């Protein structure tokens, strides 16, 4: 499919960064990406792909997309953003692969990268260089096209994990697109991404879920929940998250996560050993080191918490 | 020491609940208790005991106490509130014991109860009935006499763990004093208190400290802290707490805490088993049960969090 004239831009005006953008999954993530690029005048046409006609209709009405197209057609866009649930990544890649335009760049927004890269290699084969893995660290409780807004990524971090096979121009396009959204780009290897995200995001969620689960299993669970205060509240807030999303992440990133939980168990052992031995000085030193670092981290954060 | 006329009240007016109150440790906890009773007109005279003359001077200037007295003299008050650091409880009880008035009631504010009860039995011997163990669940970042205010306990929970040896009138006095402060009284056995508090307060703090400790030990700790977002922030907020206070609590309540952490480890095992086996359905069911309960708990809380 050739690009309509409008997508090539107007004579005398610079060609937009992304003449034709295809977004697979026009929800909060995909819709906001399109909205940001459109507001910056850096996209010519936006195509939307999805399984639910009602969602695409809503995205059209909201002006997030110009056309609803099939996955096959989307594969000829200049840039394809896969913003689908983690579980749908492989099927999306399989759908794109046979029709992939020679210069089309595909990127994603998944919370894990090693499994996505593995799936992309299987689906795209020798054309793997056309896939630039990415992960925008942003989100909110809301979902769907109505939740999308152009400022979602402003000031947020996007992690790219380019592959050795990616031509520099491919990585550059994806970087510039996210930079246009106002995001800060960090680059690392897929395995490093998964370890770091396991450490600072996935494992805290797992620990909060596991901790809460055993409180609920206690015979006096009602009494415990009655007496639970602000410490419990803050510690378990993230245990109220989406079961579907976290199931997908826990399964996708289990290897990295279990490395990290092993380290947590060892740290817990160390504290408990000091407690068992009644070693006041060591216990205090351990607590002081952590507390000081946590307060320093908080002081370095851009927006102070109202609750701290 | 007999009570001054003022403490007995004015003829024609009802006798205050506590003609003479002694507060050992006139900081946030002790000072607020005295201030609340005074505002309610339920205390005649307030005596303050402490090791630092400057603190007592400040408490006098702020009107929290009427007189600074020795521990020996305080033992003759109608009610003695021990609001000292956990580590000073035994010494305080030992100081009170030889001089304890025949009708004097002693209570405390410690975060743990089994160890306090043990210390009280050793210090007071046959007069153990004059000690009513208590734990006001309240606090703030601030400390010292200047932080004290009469509304600290309004709407808060105070747990009393009366002993079999306590005469009903002794328990009644302590209950009514805390009720005058606006607190809600819950009663349970000391061991039950320690288990419940281990579960919903002490262990979350230990887990947050241990989790944060191992993040800091990672070779790429800087990168991890850089990418840590709101989930990390909420989960680790309580790892910024006082090293002294938490050292004392972790040592005092280690038995109950280690029972609870064993349960946490087992729950973590169960989640990891579902992850290892790729059991999507079971994992989702486990996450859904926890998430639904956490959201229900939050909905039942009196003051919604601005961050949720």
């Amino acid at each position: 499919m050739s690009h309509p004239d409008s997508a090539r831009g107007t004579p005398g005006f610079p060609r937009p960064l992304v003449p034709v953008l295809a977004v697979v999954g026009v929800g909060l993530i995909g819709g906001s990406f399109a909205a940001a690029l459109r507001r910056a005048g850096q996209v010519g046409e936006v195509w939307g792909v999805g399984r639910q006609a009602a969602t695409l209709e809503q995205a059209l009405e909201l002006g997030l997309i110009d056309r609803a197209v099939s996955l096959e057609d989307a594969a000829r866009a200049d840039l394809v953003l896969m913003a689908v649930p983690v579980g749908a990544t492989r099927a999306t890649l399989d759908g794109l692969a046979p029709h992939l335009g020679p210069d089309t760049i595909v990127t994603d927004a998944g919370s894990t990268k090693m499994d996505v890269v593995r799936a992309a290699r299987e689906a795209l084969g020798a054309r793997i260089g056309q896939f630039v893995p990415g992960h925008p660290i942003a989100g909110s409780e809301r979902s769907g096209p109505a939740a999308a807004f152009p400022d979602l990524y402003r000031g947020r971090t996007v992690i790219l994990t380019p592959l050795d096979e990616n031509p520099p121009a491919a990585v550059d396009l994806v970087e510039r697109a996210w930079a246009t959204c106002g995001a800060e780009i960090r680059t690392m290897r897929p395995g490093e991404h998964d370890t770091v995200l396991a450490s600072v995001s996935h494992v805290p969620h797992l620990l909060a879920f596991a901790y809460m689960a055993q409180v609920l299993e206690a015979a006096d669970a009602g009494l415990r929940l009655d007496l639970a205060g602000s410490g419990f509240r803050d510690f378990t807030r993230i245990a109220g998250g989406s079961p579907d999303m976290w199931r997908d992440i826990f399964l996708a990133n289990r290897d990295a996560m279990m490395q990290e939980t092993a380290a947590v168990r060892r740290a817990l052992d160390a504290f408990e050993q000091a407690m068992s031995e009644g070693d006041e000085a060591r216990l205090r030193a351990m607590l002081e080191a952590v507390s000081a670092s946590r307060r320093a981290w908080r002081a370095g954060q851009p927006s102070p918490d109202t609750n701290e």
Side-chain angles (χ1 to χ4, degrees), chain A:
Chain A
M1 171 182 299
S2 60
H3 295 165
D5 284 343
S6 60
R8 292 198 201 92
T10 311
F13 286 88
R15 183 171 174 277
L17 177 69
V18 187
V20 178
L21 168 70
V23 179
V24 186
V26 194
L28 170 72
I29 300 295
S32 297
F33 182 73
L37 287 172
R38 199 199 283 288
R39 185 177 65 182
Q42 291 295 0
V43 68
E45 264 205 12
V46 183
W47 300 347
V49 182
R51 285 163 305 167
Q52 314 228 356
T55 309
L56 290 169
E57 190 58 46
Q58 193 183 14
L60 273 161
E61 282 165 16
L62 291 167
L64 294 172
I65 65 176
D66 300 306
R67 298 178 55 188
V69 305
S70 66
L71 194 56
E72 174 179 337
D73 287 344
R76 308 289 297 186
D78 293 293
L79 178 65
V80 180
L81 170 66
M82 297 192 295
V84 297
V86 166
T89 305
R90 178 59 193 269
T92 306
L93 287 161
D94 282 342
L96 291 167
H99 314 286
L100 198 60
D103 301 311
T104 300
I105 304 302
V106 180
T107 191
D108 79 310
S111 301
T112 53
K113 299 269 58 78
M114 289 277 276
D115 62 315
V116 169
V117 170
R118 202 174 302 129
R121 288 189 181 284
E122 288 169 8
L124 304 179
R127 308 188 69 181
I128 185 61
Q130 291 177 248
F131 175 63
V132 180
H135 175 202
I137 304 185
S140 81
E141 303 296 308
R142 303 158 297 139
S143 63
F149 66 108
D151 282 315
L152 176 63
Y153 302 108
R154 185 154 297 283
R156 307 310 302 274
T157 296
V158 171
I159 300 177
L160 299 184
T161 65
L163 307 175
D164 295 337
E165 293 90 338
N166 293 139
V171 181
D172 187 63
L173 175 67
V174 177
E175 270 199 44
R176 290 171 65 195
W178 282 114
T180 301
C181 295
E184 176 188 318
I185 316 298
R186 303 288 295 257
T187 300
M188 63 190 71
R189 308 200 66 76
E192 186 176 14
H193 166 280
D194 286 0
T195 290
V196 173
L197 269 296
S199 175
V200 301
S201 176
H202 306 163
V203 164
H205 282 81
L206 176 60
L207 290 173
F209 278 116
Y211 162 78
M212 182 90 190
Q214 57 83 36
V215 171
L216 295 169
E217 286 161 10
D220 57 352
L223 177 63
R224 296 184 189 205
L225 293 175
D226 243 16
L227 292 172
S230 64
F232 176 95
R233 179 198 66 206
D234 292 341
F235 185 79
T236 63
R237 177 170 288 123
I238 57 183
S242 159
D244 287 317
M245 183 176 103
W246 290 104
R247 171 206 55 210
D248 287 349
I249 290 175
F250 290 173
L251 289 172
N253 205 21
R254 65 186 170 204
D255 291 344
M257 287 180 69
M258 290 174 71
Q259 290 285 325
E260 296 307 307
T261 57
V264 174
R265 292 175 195 258
R266 287 192 297 270
L268 184 57
D269 289 342
F271 276 90
E272 293 189 332
Q273 183 173 4
M275 287 160 65
S276 298
E277 292 171 4
D279 194 333
E280 294 184 28
R282 178 152 55 104
L283 185 55
R284 192 200 184 281
M286 294 167 78
L287 295 171
E288 169 63 33
V290 171
S291 187
S293 294
R294 176 54 174 76
R295 282 176 272 122
W297 177 81
R298 187 251 173 184
Q301 289 292 290
S303 28
D305 301 324
T306 50
N307 279 0
E308 291 206 35

